[in-house]
Structure formats: structure tokens, C-alpha cells
Amino acid sequence: MSGSGRDPCSIPIRSATKKRRIRRAIRGLPPRWVTLFEDETDLRLFPPLRAARGRRGRAVEVPTSGFNARRVAFGTIDIDTGHRLFLVRRRRKGEDSRAFLPVIRSHDRGWHVAPLLDEDPGHTAAGSQELAAELGIRLIWLPKRCPELNGMDHLWGHGKDHVCADRQYAGIDEEVDRSVGFLGGLSNREALRQAGILSEDFWLRV
């Protein structure tokens, strides 16, 4: 309900029903299927501001360059193994979403792939869905406006807190390299933990 101030994922019955359907769909997949969370995030040169140490009563200064370049990072995390894949693009249009699909397909040769993802226009575009079908990728749609259900979304947040927050990089490419390098350098188990997948109440396992 718009303007209610409530968590939209905690209200509609349709969301709870859809989560049950997703769990049933995943349990019903035949052998040799890989299930992934897929998500993309904007990386901007202006740093996101988080809590920082400073003198009491004085604001902490975060110098910025005045430029706000942008890149879009696409990523997946394997729900079972924690393996990650990344692709950086300048935009997040349909063609950029489609560019990531062969990356996913090429890594999991011999396996069928089922990414869980939101209904971003780049994902739902007819060209994106047609390419996914051609590549043997089954797209599983998450409930709308529920980013907390997407483990990759949690992983992006972890990376931004550690790499991007309160820091001004000399250029956007340096920030992107460090961000992707940080997340790619996590152990698979740590990546699963930060994505919330190892939680006892992880929604796909309850």
C-alpha cells in the first residue's frame, strides 16, 4: 500500500504465495540445475555516506571531486556453492542485461541455469527473455519491491559498505575494480554468509 510506511513484502498475500511457488519450483527442478541470485547495482563516484568516526560535535568532512561518473555492475551468486560472476557496463538497459546472460551460460556449461531476479525492465524485455530461452536459462521472478529476498542485493550492500562508503576515488574505474575485486575475493562461504543464504531462516529453505 503506497504511503503506508510498511514493508511491502510483509503485507500482500500474493508475495507470500509467490515465495511458496518459487520454493516449490526450485525443489521441482531436475538434476543438474544451478540456481542463482542475479542483481545489478549502480556504482557512482560520489561516495555513499555511512557512519564514520569524528570529533564529538563536529561534522565529518568527506571531500568529493564534484564529478559523479557511473557504472552498472551485474552479478550472480550460486545459492549452493557461493560462486560469483560479474560484468560491468555503462548502463542498465535491455542490451546490458542481455550481455550478462552469455556470461552466466558460459560458466555453467553442461548445467541448466535458473536465476532468481527482479522484474527490472531490462530483465523483462522481450529480447532478454527470448535470449534466455535460447541459452537454456530459466528466469524465475522474485516478488516485486522485495530486494531483501535477493541474496545478491545483500552482497552488493556489503561491498559498498567496505569499499565505497565515505571514500572518494580518483576515478570510477578504480572504484569499480576495487568493488568487484573485493566481492570476488571473498571465500565462497563468506559470500554465502553475507548474502544471507546461510541464515537459519533463509527464505528459500524454510
Side-chain angles (χ1 to χ4, degrees):
M1 298 174 60
S2 177
S4 67
R6 304 180 192 176
D7 174 5
C9 236
S10 66
I11 302 171
I13 296 176
R14 286 183 298 174
S15 293
T17 301
K18 190 164 188 177
K19 285 190 283 187
R20 287 195 293 271
R21 289 176 180 169
I22 291 171
R23 288 193 288 264
R24 285 199 298 268
I26 292 175
R27 287 195 293 267
L29 291 174
R32 298 190 68 78
W33 275 83
V34 177
T35 309
L36 316 165
F37 281 119
E38 194 277 343
D39 192 40
E40 56 276 343
T41 192
D42 289 343
L43 294 172
R44 297 184 180 274
L45 195 53
F46 275 173
L49 302 181
R50 301 285 193 268
R53 293 184 179 276
R55 291 184 178 276
R56 183 175 297 175
R58 296 181 61 181
V60 177
E61 294 185 2
V62 180
T64 63
S65 66
F67 299 97
N68 196 19
R70 171 196 178 198
R71 296 289 185 274
V72 180
F74 292 76
T76 62
I77 180 169
D78 188 307
I79 292 173
D80 294 313
T81 69
H83 185 273
R84 282 87 65 212
L85 295 172
F86 300 98
L87 177 69
V88 177
R89 304 282 288 186
R90 290 182 176 272
R91 300 176 300 178
R92 63 159 77 209
K93 295 184 178 293
E95 61 199 62
D96 302 291
S97 293
R98 290 190 286 277
F100 193 37
L101 292 174
V103 175
I104 298 172
R105 174 72 279 169
S106 63
H107 178 264
D108 290 304
R109 292 182 182 276
W111 291 73
H112 302 288
V113 184
L116 281 73
L117 67 172
D118 60 35
E119 296 185 49
D120 181 90
H123 301 157
T124 60
S128 299
Q129 296 194 58
E130 290 169 3
L131 178 59
E134 290 175 11
L135 295 173
I137 296 175
R138 177 179 176 182
L139 304 177
I140 300 178
W141 306 111
L142 292 169
K144 293 182 178 179
R145 297 186 297 279
C146 296
E148 68 275 14
L149 298 183
N150 192 323
M152 195 64 214
D153 187 85
H154 292 290
L155 204 58
W156 288 133
H158 177 65
K160 288 182 178 181
D161 285 346
H162 282 75
V163 179
C164 304
D166 304 325
R167 290 191 188 98
Q168 176 68 78
Y169 288 94
I172 187 64
D173 292 328
E174 179 187 359
E175 181 179 352
V176 168
D177 289 345
R178 294 201 179 197
S179 297
V180 173
F182 174 79
L183 292 179
L186 297 175
S187 70
N188 288 343
R189 182 170 181 80
E190 179 64 10
L192 289 169
R193 189 176 75 82
Q194 294 297 338
I197 297 172
L198 296 185
S199 171
E200 291 183 358
D201 57 356
F202 175 53
W203 72 275
L204 276 180
R205 306 198 195 283
V206 296

